[in-house]
Amino acid sequence: SPITHHPSMSLTIALQMDPLASINPHTDTTLLLGEEAARRGYALFHYVPSELSLMEGQPAARARRLTLHPGEEQWYSLEAPE
């Protein structure tokens, strides 16, 4: 069946990964999941494990908006942390 979402739903995924400069884009499975999520309309964010913490009992991460460019030499771009 087709993938649908309610217009008021925010489609966002944060990917916990190693620094992107150290990732092999041809073999990393988390990256593959991110590419599929982006294809389905999800906004992607990236953070490394050291940026994950608890704030008032809730998980929080200093994440950066991630845009993927599959097949290109510079295969990702990151915005400033949010």
Side-chain angles (χ1 to χ4, degrees), residues 8-80:
S8 66
M9 282 179 57
S10 174
L11 300 174
T12 303
I13 293 181
L15 301 171
Q16 177 178 299
M17 301 174 71
D18 290 331
L20 293 175
S22 70
I23 299 292
N24 180 339
H26 304 292
T27 61
D28 189 272
T29 55
T30 302
L31 182 60
L32 183 62
L33 292 171
E35 288 177 2
E36 181 60 22
R39 186 189 71 76
R40 295 179 184 216
Y42 285 75
L44 301 180
F45 288 81
H46 171 268
Y47 68 95
V48 295
S50 64
E51 295 171 323
L52 181 62
S53 63
L54 283 177
M55 295 180 71
E56 299 180 15
Q58 297 294 316
R62 187 167 167 89
R64 298 174 72 179
R65 178 72 186 256
L66 170 64
T67 302
L68 298 176
H69 313 283
E72 295 182 21
E73 186 175 335
Q74 182 59 42
W75 55 270
Y76 69 90
S77 55
L78 289 171
E79 294 180 11

